[in-house]
Amino acid sequence: MNFEQVKKTTESFLFQNYSREEICFQRGHREFLYDLDGNEFLDLVAGIAVNALGYCHPAIVDEVCLQAKKLVHVSNLYHVMEQAELAEMLSSMTPSSLNVSLFVNSGTEANEAALKLAVKHTGRSRFVAAKNSFHGRTVGSLSATGQLKYRSGFEPLIIPGFDFVEYDNCEHLKTAVNSETAALVLEPIQGEGGIVIPSLEFMKTARDVCDERGALLILDEVQTAFGRTGKMFAFEHYGIVPDVMTLAKALGGGFPIGALMTSSDISKAFSPGSHGSTFGGNPFVCAIAKSVLSTIVAEGLVARSAEMGRMWMSQLLSIPNENGAVRGIRGKGLMIGIEMGDEAKRLQKYAFQNRVLVNVCAGGVVRLLPPLIIGQSSMKRFSDLLTLFVSTSS
Ligand SMILES: Cc1ncc(COP(=O)(O)O)c(C=O)c1O
């Protein structure tokens, strides 16, 4: 098929629930994607923070081939060696109070499981979440999502019992979390909400109020984990440890897997039958996730993300901004947001014309989430592009 045929077939046979760019890719290599005509694009989106190792990393390709020839799926009716090994590996990367994993297939499912776990563990059914948050599209996760644009049209379906606090407002937290709260659900950095970084004080208060009121602290690290923010997990920036952590995206390097991690004590709230998934943690995806994690560690990608992020931020911050097109730049590691208001969409289009892919979130924030293996010349290419864009914008 050529692009026009793909587009026509998409319009005829697929739900029209995505607004897609006018492009279709056939292959990728490192931080580059190639369209159906072979044109090369620099990808600063990485499948929305999924492709941490870039495209066709040999570690993933080799593992895919190896495991596909051995065993892809058996279900959780049996012991799954690769699942046990992945859980052990994750446990070695986390504090001892997050040493038990449960595997699912996506971020939203990890959050669903976390909400159920909190109800079972505490015997309470109310939750506190943050305004401007994003936790996924299924009914439970959408109930925790504090943005009308995602909830609108589904409201009667959404689970009642969620109270929303201002992100980064400690006083709100102190009044909202009470003795009826099963869990406080937060992103350590709001991703979809526009790369919003909370204060140290807010995250410490979150930990404290949960301890005081007997609620669980669930941190949604779906977008932030595995080096994205310059730490293995974003909670490390704040010197706190959540009771439950949810994971997905980068964990599978492009193959669908989600996880929640908690203490062995809290995990006991789920007994056989409390929760489950047919595909969750199958040998194929767990083998790949193991090789993703070993590669992140072996290639020092967490420290690299911190260093590259620092370098890129200072490059971006030094761009002359006389016209005020850039309203703010914030980020940690290789999770960077450039606030541009209405100019964000125009920059995205300009970048696309120059074969650079960026994403716009929260209306006016250009979000950079490149593969963690991105080269310095690619970062410079975007900085130069932004410099030119800003100098010509009125
Ligand atoms: C913080 C956060 N939680 C949950 C999700 C949902 O993950 P998934 O799309 O894998 O269900 C996302 C997706 O963007 C996310 O950023």
Side-chain angles (χ1 to χ4, degrees), residues 48 106-109 111 134-136 187 192 220 222-223 248-249:
I48 322 183
S106 63
T108 197
E109 283 176 72
N111 287 328
F134 184 78
H135 298 290
E187 290 157 273
E192 300 301 309
D220 177 343
V222 166
Q223 192 164 144
K249 289 197 185 271

Side-chain angles (χ1 to χ4, degrees), residues 48-318:
I48 322 183
V50 167
N51 304 312
L53 304 183
Y55 297 93
C56 293
H57 191 291
I60 297 187
V61 175
D62 291 350
E63 194 60 51
V64 166
C65 297
L66 206 69
Q67 190 62 36
K69 285 182 191 160
K70 283 204 284 188
L71 189 63
V72 170
H73 178 80
V74 281
S75 92
N76 287 302
L77 293 172
Y78 314 104
H79 283 275
V80 179
M81 180 177 67
E82 295 78 3
Q83 195 181 115
E85 287 170 348
L86 176 61
E88 187 178 33
M89 192 180 249
L90 280 167
S91 169
S92 74
M93 299 162 79
T94 49
S96 59
S97 59
L98 292 173
N99 62 342
V100 177
S101 293
L102 184 151
F103 294 109
V104 290
N105 311 289
S106 63
T108 197
E109 283 176 72
N111 287 328
E112 292 287 330
L115 298 177
K116 281 178 68 177
L117 183 71
V119 170
K120 262 288 195 136
H121 175 73
T122 61
R124 306 172 182 179
S125 56
R126 292 199 68 84
F127 290 91
V128 176
K131 292 180 183 169
N132 196 45
S133 59
F134 184 78
H135 298 290
R137 309 282 194 150
T138 51
V139 174
S141 304
L142 193 53
S143 303
T145 292
Q147 294 194 61
L148 200 65
K149 73 173 176 188
Y150 297 110
R151 301 168 67 97
S152 175
F154 304 105
E155 291 281 6
L157 275 173
I158 308 304
I159 302 170
F162 274 83
D163 296 315
F164 290 92
V165 294
E166 292 288 341
Y167 199 54
D168 215 16
N169 186 318
C170 297
E171 292 315 307
H172 279 188
L173 271 187
K174 287 178 195 162
T175 48
V177 179
N178 58 38
S179 58
E180 291 175 19
T181 309
L184 167 62
V185 187
L186 293 172
E187 290 157 273
I189 294 176
Q190 288 186 334
E192 300 301 309
I195 318 293
V196 186
I197 304 169
S199 63
L200 206 66
E201 192 197 350
F202 179 73
M203 295 306 281
K204 284 195 183 298
T205 306
R207 182 62 278 173
D208 290 345
V209 292
C210 285
D211 287 342
E212 282 162 21
R213 322 265 152 96
L216 296 184
L217 176 60
I218 299 173
L219 286 190
D220 177 343
E221 292 252 13
V222 166
Q223 192 164 144
T224 48
F226 306 117
R228 171 58 53 194
T229 72
K231 300 271 188 198
M232 186 58 83
F233 302 102
F235 69 73
E236 296 168 34
H237 290 291
Y238 307 103
I240 59 159
V241 178
D243 299 301
V244 179
M245 169 166 69
T246 56
L247 303 164
K249 289 197 185 271
L251 177 58
F255 290 82
I257 181 169
L260 73 154
M261 297 188 74
T262 188
S263 66
S264 96
D265 177 39
I266 295 172
S267 77
K268 292 195 172 73
F270 278 175
S271 48
S274 302
H275 198 69
S277 161
T278 300
F279 291 121
N282 80 20
F284 186 67
V285 75
C286 287
I288 295 163
K290 274 196 311 159
S291 83
V292 169
L293 297 186
S294 343
T295 307
I296 287 175
V297 172
E299 294 190 4
L301 294 182
V302 179
R304 187 177 192 280
S305 166
E307 196 190 325
M308 292 292 126
R310 257 192 306 275
M311 195 183 294
W312 210 5
M313 281 285 282
S314 73
Q315 221 172 65
L316 294 169
L317 285 166
S318 70

Side-chain angles (χ1 to χ4, degrees), residues 30-51:
R30 292 192 60 84
E31 70 263 41
F32 301 103
L33 281 166
Y34 299 85
D35 72 7
L36 297 182
D37 297 323
N39 297 309
E40 183 184 276
F41 284 70
L42 167 60
D43 178 21
L44 305 179
V45 184
I48 322 183
V50 167
N51 304 312

